[in-house]
Amino acid sequence: MPRKLIVTSALPYANASIHIGHLVEYLQTDIWVRYQKLAGNKCFYFCADDTHGTPIMIRAKAEGISEENLIKRMHGQHLKDLNDFQIEFDNYYTTHSEENRRLSERIYLAAKDAGSIVQKTIQQAYDEQEKMWLPDRFIKGACPRCKAENQYGDSCDACGAHYQPTEMINPVSAVSGQPPVLRESVHLFFRLSDYAERLKELFDAGYVQSSVKNKLDEWFGAGLRDWDISRDGPYFGFKIPGEDDKYFYVWLDAPIGYMASCKNYCDKNGLDFEQVWNSGEYEIYHFIGKDIMYFHALFWPALLMAAKLRVPNNLFVHGFLTVNGQKMSKSKGTFVMARTYLNHLDPQHLRYYYASKLSGDVGDIELNVEDFVNRVNSDLVGKLANLPSRSGPMLTGKLGGMLGRLDDKGKALVNEMAAAKAEIVDAYENLNYAAAIRRIASLADVCNKYVEDNKPSLLVKTDPEKARTVLTAVLNAGRILTIYLKPVLPAFAEKMERFLSIPPLSFADTATVLEHHKINNYERLIERIEKEKVEAMIEESKPADSPAQKPAEPQEPVAPECTIEDFAKVDLRVARVVKAGPVEGADKLLALELDLGGTAKNVFAGIAKAYKPEDLVGRLVVCVANLKPRKMRFGVSEGMVCAAGGGDGHVFLLAVDEGAQPGQRVH
Ligand SMILES: [Zn+2]
């Protein structure tokens, strides 16, 4: 009976792009999913963008766009990056969805019914200027222990100390730069300790790798603390039912996003979500990094228990990526974004290299750049791709592209390849891709030795039929190695299938051979890595020169001094754009109708190259309210809007917070 599985990767957060560190997990998961499918199992790979929380709000505000527009753009970007690395999801959804809202409410209300939600009054930092609550990461100040400046509100990068933001020296809001004030607020907590017994049973039954279990035992030893699951508005997330202006903390609805993605897929494909997720018909596995273990090992199963929902079978926890023995570093150019990698190198190179390093434990994965180039060039290109690249053209060029029959020696070679299947399947199943790759490389050595011993390139001149027999063995062996590699190198396998003129390969095909079969012309399966391209990628990943080092661009000279009294004559006001439209005969201008808190003004603004009229309506701008009306060719301009920028059409309107009131004076 084929197995049925649901597999997930952790949801990428919608405020940053995918980098090669993230790719460890997506590639690890994708390889496992592809292996399951090629082994004949039914397997769904679900993921989504994680879209809620304060960082999203702040980023959207900084960009002057809505949160919805920000997360939509990031979703498109994430999915394209991941797809271009040949990561194949069955569904890639978003946590900002109706399915996720409903599931979050259902799970919360069930936990509440079970008596596991409690209220507590807490003190939290508040930014009075921005009118928002500040998470610890949005408070900066000096470390209370080592006095290092510019540290976060929860921990110090310089000395590693953990502390409360209230203990910091001179704390300020990272958003406004103003000192935060402490305010009281009632928050909702999930009582994790209600589920301690059942969680212990889960871990004893092997929910996580044994190396991870020790960490969990530590947490249990320290006592399971209640978990704060609510945030006060304004907050970008789901409102908590039955509460006033309270929202689910992003970490509550993020893992529920796995289920929401599954539900969305089921609804689109006529499947019964409750049956698929909840009946036990499917095994469920989460791939995660060790940094988010607490959430996935404790909160997540406990929430599911509270809601009487199915708990996943296993967590697969992996380590972090190190590059050349160190943490990824922007200044060293080793903090490589997925897109930067793709600009220079073949994604299959990284797929192969990570696979050769992943062994299924929680140790860190080391990407050594020199080793990366050598291993791909010598093993993948030199040994594996070498077999078809030498045999194929001989067969199509001189022997009509026809395979012959296997003789005894050829059968022995092919059998040796096929006999390794159980071992390789076992390695994939246990996430030990490194062992699978080692075994495949050693089999490729056997094949290359067979070619050297039998010398088909000489035989083809003296005994063409004998050469055909040898090449038939080599290509059959290469075909089996391609099956073994297919979870890691799907594009390589596809080219091989085209070359051999066969339908898509799966693990069952190791039991068959190709004889008396016409093949197609050989096309290159994979290119070598050129060191220059790796260097160019690292160069592109380094931060741009600081402004001081850049040659100064010519700027407008500063105008003659004006006094504060002169400046005070300019009355700057917050204004809301009520209407915006083109100006006939002036393609740089837009006609704006502004509301200055009861007073209306019509203004012509030279921003048509940078802003579309429909993007401006409803926005707040700063307007010179007392500018003497100017008669222009198109009508009278009764003021002007303040913008930075110039002749090339690159313009930024002076940004105004949504909290400002039209008509308010700007100083
Ligand atoms: Zn410190």
Side-chain angles (χ1 to χ4, degrees), residues 143 145-148 156 158-161:
C143 166
R145 190 162 87 183
C146 76
K147 315 278 187 280
C156 173
C159 75

Side-chain angles (χ1 to χ4, degrees), residues 439-452:
R439 189 73 182 98
I440 295 166
S442 76
L443 292 172
D445 286 338
V446 173
C447 293
N448 280 300
K449 171 114 188 355
Y450 177 89
V451 174
E452 270 162 44

Side-chain angles (χ1 to χ4, degrees), residues 367-566:
L367 165 59
N368 176 285
V369 171
E370 204 165 311
D371 182 46
F372 169 56
V373 174
N374 290 340
R375 197 179 289 229
V376 168
N377 286 348
S378 73
D379 289 3
L380 179 54
V381 184
K383 286 181 188 172
L384 284 156
N386 184 46
L387 294 166
S389 85
R390 282 170 58 185
S391 315
M394 252 185 268
L395 204 69
T396 49
K398 305 213 168 95
L399 300 166
M402 276 301 285
L403 293 174
R405 283 196 62 183
L406 294 171
D407 63 3
D408 286 346
K409 276 200 311 188
K411 275 183 194 156
L413 177 75
V414 172
N415 286 342
E416 187 176 348
M417 300 297 123
K421 179 178 164 182
E423 195 184 329
I424 288 168
V425 161
D426 187 60
Y428 276 122
E429 179 63 37
N430 292 300
L431 307 172
N432 194 349
Y433 311 156
I437 294 290
R438 272 197 307 275
R439 189 73 182 98
I440 295 166
S442 76
L443 292 172
D445 286 338
V446 173
C447 293
N448 280 300
K449 171 114 188 355
Y450 177 89
V451 174
E452 270 162 44
D453 290 350
N454 291 283
K455 302 193 171 39
S457 54
L458 296 182
L459 276 181
V460 80
K461 293 169 199 152
T462 55
D463 187 350
E465 283 315 306
K466 180 81 183 121
R468 189 192 306 279
T469 305
V470 169
L471 293 171
T472 299
V474 175
L475 285 179
N476 268 286
R479 170 178 167 272
I480 293 176
L481 295 184
T482 301
I483 295 170
Y484 295 155
L485 275 176
K486 196 172 176 182
V488 179
L489 300 175
F492 177 98
E494 213 174 282
K495 282 189 176 178
M496 189 72 175
E497 288 153 3
R498 211 154 47 222
F499 160 55
L500 293 176
S501 187
I502 51 173
L505 290 163
S506 74
F507 275 83
D509 294 316
T510 55
T512 59
V513 291
L514 279 184
E515 291 180 318
H516 305 300
H517 175 84
K518 180 105 164 59
I519 62 168
N520 290 321
N521 281 335
Y522 174 79
E523 53 174 319
R524 278 191 77 80
L525 296 169
I526 196 151
E527 301 297 328
R528 291 171 62 82
I529 302 185
E530 292 165 39
K531 211 148 186 252
E532 297 72 44
K533 289 194 176 167
V534 179
E535 283 159 8
M537 174 184 81
I538 290 189
E539 212 40 54
E540 195 189 321
S541 300
K542 286 181 182 166
D545 292 343
S546 62
Q549 290 163 316
K550 265 194 205 164
E553 280 173 31
Q555 282 187 349
E556 256 183 272
V558 173
E561 262 178 13
C562 75
T563 64
I564 185 91
E565 290 77 20
D566 292 336

